[in-house]
Amino acid sequence: MNNSIITEFMILGFSQNPELQGVLFIVFLLIYLVAFLGNLIIVITIIYNTTLHTPMYVLLLSLAIIDIICTTSIIPKMLGTMLTSGRTISYGGCTSQLFFFTWSLGAEMVLFTTMAYDLYVAICFPLHYSTVMNHHMCMALLSIVMAIAVTNSWVHTGLILKLTFCGPNTIDHFFCEIPPLLSLSCSPVKANEVMVYIADITLAVGNFSLTCISCAFIIAAILRVHTAAGKRKAFLTCSSHLIVVSLYYCPVIYTCICPASSYTFERDKVVAALYTLVTPTLNPVVYSFQNKEMQTGIKKVFSFLKH
């Protein structure tokens, strides 16, 4: 239930410097186009090519969809505030943005762990991969990912809806995120901060730890591979995954453990940009465009479009 007096919020954006608005608009527009089109190409390619209807590519398809939802729920509104003088967002629009953002955040964290498990089975137990990671297991894992993500999003959004916002209504950020909203609340935010800590430990720290453990087992298996080419391919796959998840998890953990009372806006805008803008842009490059099967699939899609 909305007990707030405030019916809309004012979003200040990434920077209030008028001289930087044009440059930032071009930069964020390019980032959004690269992220959106890159992930859209992955979605179309995997759906179109039946040879890519395997658990690994289904997980990549899910990651691409999540990244599209994440960036689309944030960047278009941010670009709109840069172009016009209207920087307001309605109370409902803000909570909707928060819901989809927290959903994509939770889904991506759990999905990264699922992908690490898939990689672990593929490298450590290659002969049993098709038996372990079959269609039913893949769908079961994705169902768990979605269930955790929806639960996480509903809990945080529901707790925000219980808060009272009586003024000021200025969000010094480029989207409706939990810390800046808590700093504006006129009512106690202890329950919100506790749930953020719990989510941080279980989703961020927990999934990051599981991912690192999977990579440790993978590295141990790589060292047992006799061929240099096999070692190189497996190591590059594992290291790429670990670098991307590190870029994603570290800013998320930092943001979540930072209490509302010590929230510093300018610094955390940059931190938030890493996991909301940079990582969704890197994911297609790291996980798909360097993959030979994906490259072949993309060529088939473009060949079909030409005809």
Side-chain angles (χ1 to χ4, degrees):
M1 181 178 178
N2 177 14
N3 299 314
S4 299
I5 300 171
I6 290 174
T7 58
E8 62 181 17
F9 293 99
M10 176 80 71
I11 299 181
L12 294 184
F14 201 84
S15 174
Q16 298 179 57
N17 188 340
E19 296 178 357
L20 292 177
Q21 292 302 308
V23 176
L24 289 174
F25 177 82
I26 294 172
V27 170
F28 287 128
L29 178 61
L30 289 175
I31 290 174
Y32 177 64
L33 290 175
V34 170
F36 182 82
L37 294 176
N39 285 292
L40 184 62
I41 288 172
I42 291 173
V43 171
I44 295 172
T45 300
I46 294 176
I47 292 175
Y48 176 76
N49 292 275
T50 55
T51 55
L52 299 178
H53 293 179
T54 61
M56 183 182 79
Y57 292 106
V58 170
L59 295 178
L60 286 176
L61 171 66
S62 303
L63 181 64
I65 293 172
I66 291 169
D67 283 339
I68 289 173
I69 293 173
C70 178
T71 53
T72 304
S73 66
I74 295 172
I75 302 184
K77 178 61 179 177
M78 179 178 65
L79 294 174
T81 60
M82 290 180 178
L83 281 179
T84 63
S85 57
R87 293 175 175 267
T88 59
I89 183 171
S90 66
Y91 183 90
C94 187
T95 53
S96 296
Q97 188 181 67
L98 178 67
F99 176 84
F100 285 107
F101 164 68
T102 52
W103 175 85
S104 59
L105 191 71
E108 190 144 350
M109 285 190 285
V110 183
L111 188 60
F112 274 141
T113 304
T114 306
M115 292 170 67
Y117 173 73
D118 176 72
L119 191 61
Y120 161 74
V121 176
I123 294 177
C124 297
F125 305 99
L127 298 179
H128 302 284
Y129 178 78
S130 58
T131 303
V132 176
M133 284 298 294
N134 53 41
H135 174 74
H136 297 291
M137 174 61 79
C138 183
M139 290 300 103
L141 289 172
L142 283 178
S143 297
I144 293 171
V145 170
M146 293 302 109
I148 292 174
V150 170
T151 302
N152 175 65
S153 189
W154 271 118
V155 168
H156 289 299
T157 307
L159 287 172
I160 289 293
L161 288 171
K162 289 184 177 181
L163 298 179
T164 301
F165 297 95
C166 52
N169 69 333
T170 302
I171 298 176
D172 193 357
H173 211 291
F174 57 89
F175 71 101
C176 293
E177 197 182 16
I178 294 174
L181 284 173
L182 296 186
S183 68
L184 296 177
S185 174
C186 299
S187 52
V189 297
K190 189 64 178 178
N192 300 72
E193 289 188 332
V194 169
M195 287 309 302
V196 167
Y197 274 109
I198 292 173
D200 182 50
I201 293 171
T202 55
L203 289 179
V205 178
N207 281 287
F208 186 53
S209 300
L210 290 173
T211 301
C212 290
I213 291 170
S214 297
C215 285
F217 280 110
I218 292 168
I219 291 171
I222 291 171
L223 296 175
R224 294 195 296 268
V225 176
H226 297 293
T227 61
K231 283 185 178 181
R232 183 176 180 274
K233 181 180 179 181
F235 179 76
L236 286 175
T237 303
C238 182
S239 60
S240 297
H241 182 72
L242 198 56
I243 289 170
V244 170
V245 298
S246 297
L247 283 172
Y248 191 80
Y249 280 118
C250 292
V252 171
I253 293 171
Y254 166 80
T255 301
C256 290
I257 64 175
C258 182
S261 58
S262 61
Y263 188 83
T264 53
F265 299 104
E266 296 304 322
R267 180 182 59 197
D268 290 329
K269 288 179 190 179
V270 178
V271 174
L274 288 175
Y275 60 85
T276 58
L277 307 176
V278 177
T279 306
T281 306
L282 290 177
N283 284 342
V285 179
V286 173
Y287 292 115
S288 300
F289 293 158
Q290 294 180 350
N291 185 303
K292 290 183 179 180
E293 291 180 331
M294 278 297 299
Q295 290 175 2
T296 303
I298 291 170
K299 289 177 182 177
K300 288 182 180 178
V301 170
F302 280 103
S303 299
F304 173 78
L305 292 175
K306 285 180 180 179
H307 294 300

